[in-house]
Amino acid sequence: MLNAEKRKTLFLLIPIVLILVGYVLYPSIETLLESFKRNGSMTLQNYIDFFGPKAQSNLEALWNSVYISLLSVLLSACIGIPLAFIFTRYDFPGRSFFSGIAIMPIVLPSLVGVMAFMWLYGEAGLVPSAIRDIFGLEEVPFSIGGVSGILIVHAYTMYPYFYMTVSSALNNVDPSLEESAANLGSSRLGVFWKVTFPLLTPALVAASLLVFMVSMASFSAPFLLAGGYRVLSLQIYFSKINGNLEMAATQSVILSIISISFLLFMRWFQSRKDYRMGTKGIGAHRSEVSNPLLKWIMVSLGVIAMIVLLLPHTVLAILSFVPEGSWTWQTYPTSFNLENYRLLFEDPNIWDPVRNSLFMAFVACLGCFVFGMITSYALVKRKFIGKNLLDILVMIPWALPATVVGMNLILAFNKETPFSFGQVLVGTYWILPLAYFVRFIPLVVRSTSAVLEQLDDSIEEAAQSLGAKWFYTFRRVVLPIIMPGVLSGTLLAFVQAVGEFPTSVLLYTLDNRPISIEIMNQLRLFNLGQAAAFGMIQVGLIAIVMIISYKFFGVKSENTL
């Protein structure tokens, strides 16, 4: 007979295991099996074709994906790390304002960000066209596209991962360690290289992982900017729309192996040393910039950086007021009104994508809220065999690129299964909410687990010793304490779901098309103003959620990574 505690643990684990097996493990296995199928029989032919001489495009796409991802890590680090040091270690006029502006790229969803860069710096972009007209040039002096365009967009959108993680780590570095090294005769460079940099290794590893995996999964930038440049995430999409699901599955497996291998390598690299500090200092302090010339140079650079960082948001807002059909062959838009926003509330067909995104994100995040809360409690507060395996299953959707998650669901639910209650889910309204739920489970579990790990077990035990039942204790004692963590992860998942594009483009139907798909459709129709208006709605929703997270739950930007 099981004792009461084991029965409670089993009661918690049964739904957790069923959901993870049904919607995470089973789809991944289906994709792996599909990659070995050819005309109904098991074979290695798909992998032979992938790596063979007939499929040079696949090998090229694989190398390009790794190459772009590694360069994205390098460029993001070169921008984010110096900014973190400047804003964390030095005090000068406007520092707080500029440090807040530095995270503005976070507010732009991937597709919207790429779209704004195209309008700003593309071949017919506003900035190159303005420079051409001002200086009387025959052609635009530059335009982004191809590899350079992808890297510029990646560096802009991904450097905040380095900036925020390194800033958080620097704030936790004990300054007495650096002072001791300096007092022993070490130079500033020596102190940084031998003391500060090693202590930042966990933060650098975490940021590198995020940037590499996000870049490997990147779809929007290659989709709009690559031209003929192949990357593996796009190859999966092309294989899918061409009906070659076996090759799409093979490409998904290869992309997953690369992402997970980088994850394991970085974890190994970090685990080689112990990065804990043996002292308790007073916390990081900032040095006042006393040199007037240097102070105003830093302020001037801050203003220039602010203008560059806010240009994509600004151009998006301005173009959202351009009415349909009024900006076609002209170099610059000449007409502005509220027509695009008016149509959102008057034309139900235009409002549908907004309603779809909000409803699907709400349904998915409601599931993440409940499932993430229960799963985190089981992982942190309960003891059972296979806990590490369960933790790995929870994190798989975060480790896999979004296109791979989409392919997993297509191959798993394009037929009737017990997990789909005997229904074919692919092609239905509910496949996208399910995809969003699976994709963002790890966000809620991680944010909730962080709070639960700080919760003393004695609080829960005290309530139960006074006669309270477990569920009553959880509802009245544990839940109010962990609620900020649960809600912060859920709100972040909501933000990601509203702006999700790679998974949506593989799974959407006419009935459930979200905002990101409608933006793509409007771009194809050259309705740039309407596309910008949809983009502003996404940006506004994300900004509101971030403000709510910070104001009401005390969640700062670095805590949402």
Side-chain angles (χ1 to χ4, degrees):
M1 290 289 293
L2 296 174
N3 60 35
E5 287 301 311
K6 289 184 177 178
R7 283 199 302 271
K8 293 172 189 173
T9 302
L10 186 63
F11 174 76
L12 285 173
L13 288 179
I14 288 175
I16 294 171
V17 171
L18 282 175
I19 289 174
L20 290 176
V21 168
Y23 304 110
V24 176
L25 184 61
Y26 165 67
S28 299
I29 292 174
E30 280 291 309
T31 299
L32 181 62
L33 292 176
E34 186 72 19
S35 71
F36 289 104
K37 291 180 181 178
R38 176 66 67 88
N39 299 324
S41 59
M42 301 299 288
T43 176
L44 292 173
Q45 191 59 47
N46 293 319
Y47 289 94
I48 293 172
D49 289 347
F50 185 97
F51 292 104
K54 294 181 180 179
Q56 186 65 30
S57 60
N58 284 324
L59 289 176
E60 181 186 340
L62 174 61
W63 164 246
N64 289 344
S65 294
V66 175
Y67 172 73
I68 285 177
S69 297
L70 291 174
L71 283 181
S72 296
V73 171
L74 180 62
L75 290 174
S76 299
C78 289
I79 299 172
I81 295 173
L83 284 179
F85 268 90
I86 291 171
F87 291 132
T88 305
R89 292 299 178 87
Y90 298 99
D91 201 4
F92 53 90
R95 184 200 64 81
S96 297
F97 177 73
F98 294 141
S99 64
I101 294 295
I103 65 167
M104 286 302 292
I106 289 288
V107 180
L108 283 177
S110 58
L111 179 62
V112 175
V114 178
M115 184 173 67
F117 265 77
M118 287 175 57
W119 288 336
L120 271 172
Y121 308 112
E123 189 173 355
L126 297 174
V127 172
S129 297
I131 294 175
R132 180 198 60 197
D133 293 344
I134 290 172
F135 294 99
L137 305 177
E138 293 184 1
E139 297 181 354
V140 293
F142 67 89
S143 64
I144 65 169
V147 182
S148 60
I150 295 171
L151 289 174
I152 289 171
V153 173
H154 281 188
Y156 175 86
T157 56
M158 298 177 192
Y159 85 80
Y161 294 129
F162 275 96
Y163 169 68
M164 291 188 288
T165 52
V166 173
S167 294
S168 180
L170 281 171
N171 282 323
N172 293 325
V173 170
D174 186 346
S176 65
L177 296 175
E178 296 171 315
E179 292 167 1
S180 298
N183 290 337
L184 291 173
S186 182
S187 64
R188 283 193 175 186
L189 181 60
V191 171
F192 170 79
W193 190 248
K194 294 182 179 179
V195 178
T196 310
F197 186 77
L199 292 173
L200 295 178
T201 299
L204 295 174
V205 167
S208 298
L209 273 173
L210 280 167
V211 173
F212 183 87
M213 295 173 74
V214 171
S215 181
M216 281 293 290
S218 177
F219 187 88
S220 303
F223 187 73
L224 294 176
L225 296 172
Y229 195 77
R230 302 175 186 271
V231 294
L232 206 49
S233 57
L234 279 184
Q235 290 295 99
I236 294 171
Y237 171 71
F238 293 141
S239 295
K240 186 262 182 183
I241 62 175
N242 289 328
N244 191 354
L245 294 183
E246 294 163 347
M247 182 51 68
T250 306
Q251 293 161 340
S252 297
V253 170
I254 298 296
L255 187 57
S256 301
I257 290 173
I258 297 296
S259 296
I260 293 174
S261 297
F262 188 79
L263 169 66
L264 295 176
F265 170 76
M266 296 302 286
R267 289 281 177 87
W268 168 82
F269 181 81
Q270 180 178 341
S271 66
R272 295 181 309 151
K273 297 180 181 180
D274 187 352
Y275 301 99
R276 290 175 293 182
M277 289 178 284
T279 60
K280 295 181 180 179
I282 59 174
H285 60 276
R286 285 184 289 272
S287 302
E288 178 73 32
V289 178
S290 55
N291 187 307
L293 178 61
L294 181 59
K295 179 187 295 186
W296 291 110
I297 288 175
M298 295 180 75
V299 172
S300 301
L301 290 175
V303 172
I304 294 171
M306 178 190 69
I307 294 171
V308 172
L309 289 174
L310 291 180
L311 264 179
H313 306 74
T314 305
V315 75
L316 192 69
I318 292 173
L319 294 185
S320 69
F321 295 104
V322 175
E324 180 181 339
S326 66
W327 187 26
T328 52
W329 55 269
Q330 302 93 335
T331 303
Y332 312 104
T334 56
S335 177
F336 302 92
N337 58 39
L338 295 173
E339 179 185 354
N340 295 318
Y341 293 100
R342 180 181 58 79
L343 288 173
L344 281 172
F345 296 98
E346 293 182 0
D347 188 335
N349 294 324
I350 292 180
W351 176 252
D352 280 347
V354 180
R355 182 170 56 246
N356 287 339
S357 282
L358 292 175
F359 179 74
M360 291 189 296
F362 174 78
V363 170
C365 292
L366 183 62
C368 288
F369 176 84
V370 176
F371 180 79
M373 187 167 48
I374 297 171
T375 305
S376 301
Y377 183 84
L379 287 172
V380 176
K381 296 298 182 181
R382 293 287 163 177
K383 296 180 180 179
F384 55 90
I385 298 172
K387 181 183 286 191
N388 289 334
L389 178 60
L390 189 70
D391 192 31
I392 291 171
L393 275 177
V394 167
M395 295 309 296
I396 281 177
W398 190 245
L400 297 179
T403 45
V404 173
V405 173
M407 280 306 308
N408 288 352
L409 294 177
I410 289 171
L411 294 169
F413 298 116
N414 62 1
K415 54 185 176 292
E416 298 175 356
T417 71
F419 299 112
S420 59
F421 305 100
Q423 303 293 318
V424 176
L425 290 182
V426 175
T428 69
Y429 185 94
W430 298 103
I431 189 67
L432 264 186
L434 176 62
Y436 296 162
F437 167 73
V438 171
R439 277 278 288 141
F440 304 121
I441 283 172
L443 295 178
V444 184
V445 171
R446 188 168 66 174
S447 65
T448 307
S449 297
V451 180
L452 275 169
E453 286 170 356
Q454 297 175 336
L455 179 64
D456 195 332
D457 292 340
S458 62
I459 296 175
E460 192 175 356
E461 292 167 358
Q464 293 182 356
S465 67
L466 293 173
K469 298 293 184 182
W470 174 81
F471 184 72
Y472 184 86
T473 302
F474 180 82
R475 182 168 58 88
R476 298 298 299 271
V477 178
V478 177
L479 190 56
I481 295 175
I482 68 171
M483 188 57 72
V486 183
L487 288 176
S488 66
T490 304
L491 288 171
L492 181 60
F494 183 85
V495 163
Q496 298 286 335
V498 167
E500 178 64 27
F501 179 63
T503 309
S504 302
V505 79
L506 289 172
L507 296 170
Y508 82 96
T509 66
L510 184 63
D511 292 333
N512 70 356
R513 69 190 190 283
I515 298 176
S516 56
I517 297 301
E518 189 59 26
I519 289 174
M520 184 180 69
N521 292 337
Q522 295 296 332
L523 287 176
R524 286 172 174 169
L525 296 171
F526 295 98
N527 296 335
L528 305 185
Q530 193 66 62
F534 279 120
M536 282 303 298
I537 290 173
Q538 281 189 318
V539 170
L541 288 171
I542 293 172
I544 289 169
V545 170
M546 290 183 68
I547 292 170
I548 291 173
S549 298
Y550 178 74
K551 293 292 185 182
F552 293 95
F553 307 120
V555 181
K556 296 184 179 179
S557 301
E558 58 265 22
N559 301 125
T560 61
L561 291 175

